[in-house]
Amino acid sequence: MLEHETADGLVAVEISEVESYAGEIDPASHAYRGRTQRNAVMFGPPGHAYVYFTYGMHFCVNLVCQPEGTPEAVLLRAGRIVAGEEAARARRTRHGRPVTARELARGPARLCQALDIDRDLDGADVCDPASPLRIRPASQGSPAPVIAHGPRVGVSRAADLEWRFWRDGDPTVSPYRPHVPRRRLGPTGT
DNA sequence: CGTCGGATAATCT
DNA sequence: GATTATCCGACGA
């Protein structure tokens, strides 16, 4: 479970879907070609959030999983809102269109929107209970979920690796979409 | 339910 | 200059 405490209140999410990115051997990882300003957190100690901006408008959050120097992380792709649904809904500025609870954190960018995560939280220590962004263990006695796996969503390279994992049957898991290369047409494009 | 194209800018080569 | 770990609205069935 991941929660973020802000002035708006507390929003908590039970993660239903993740993807793994292994920097040194994975061509799809942001860390594959070495350290840059953007991915520096991936090379740091585990338990910290790596937040990046993409497609000109979206944020996505990862959790670093390996010791310092080994840039591996999991992308948090989707979750179920377990607290603060009203605050999460208020962060959505879609033109008056109603949003179901299921959709609020379905997809990596929506999850960040529901939790109000942006680059200010890049590097946050999610294992520190004093951090505004932190993880909490699953409640005692909750049954272990059945985990399914398959290819990652939207990646153009290493598309054969089945490094996406999700809670089998969970309705908040995002739909699969293969990568579609698309070129932006320039003024001279035909 | 499905496919399709547009939006939009940081980041990297 | 090209690419992108995405989402949304429009449209068809």
Side-chain angles (χ1 to χ4, degrees):
Chain A
M1 193 157 95
L2 183 72
E3 60 186 28
H4 188 201
E5 194 166 12
T6 70
D8 305 16
L10 177 77
V11 176
V13 161
E14 177 189 74
I15 301 301
S16 61
E17 178 190 2
V18 300
E19 282 175 1
S20 296
Y21 289 87
E24 295 174 318
I25 60 170
D26 180 6
S29 171
H30 288 168
Y32 185 61
R33 295 176 196 276
R35 181 178 186 142
T36 65
Q37 189 167 20
R38 174 176 68 159
N39 65 22
V41 170
M42 280 188 84
F43 290 77
H48 291 247
Y50 163 48
V51 181
Y52 68 90
F53 183 72
T54 192
Y55 285 102
M57 60 191 99
H58 297 303
F59 295 98
C60 297
V61 62
N62 297 245
L63 299 183
V64 179
C65 293
Q66 293 294 323
E68 187 163 0
T70 304
E72 298 189 14
V74 291
L75 167 70
L76 307 184
R77 283 200 56 86
R80 177 174 63 87
I81 306 283
V82 297
E85 182 180 324
E86 288 311 307
R89 194 180 302 277
R91 288 166 184 163
R92 215 150 230 289
T93 55
R94 296 301 156 238
H95 303 275
R97 193 163 179 276
V99 180
T100 67
R102 175 197 188 202
E103 293 171 325
L104 280 172
R106 194 183 189 211
R110 290 171 179 170
L111 181 117
C112 281
Q113 191 174 1
L115 287 169
D116 197 23
I117 292 173
D118 59 20
R119 283 224 85 199
D120 288 347
L121 286 165
D122 188 45
D125 181 1
V126 301
C127 294
D128 180 359
S131 169
L133 182 69
R134 66 236 178 193
I135 56 174
R136 291 176 65 86
S139 54
Q140 287 263 337
S142 56
V146 176
I147 303 300
H149 69 100
R152 296 178 288 188
V153 172
V155 298
S156 58
R157 294 181 282 188
D160 55 309
L161 294 177
E162 299 198 338
W163 283 1
R164 174 180 178 233
F165 303 88
W166 64 89
R167 297 170 83 108
D168 197 20
D170 191 309
T172 65
V173 173
S174 69
Y176 177 71
R177 248 191 73 75
H179 176 73
V180 187
R182 55 182 49 192
R183 233 188 63 182
R184 196 179 149 203
L185 292 182
T188 61
T190 53

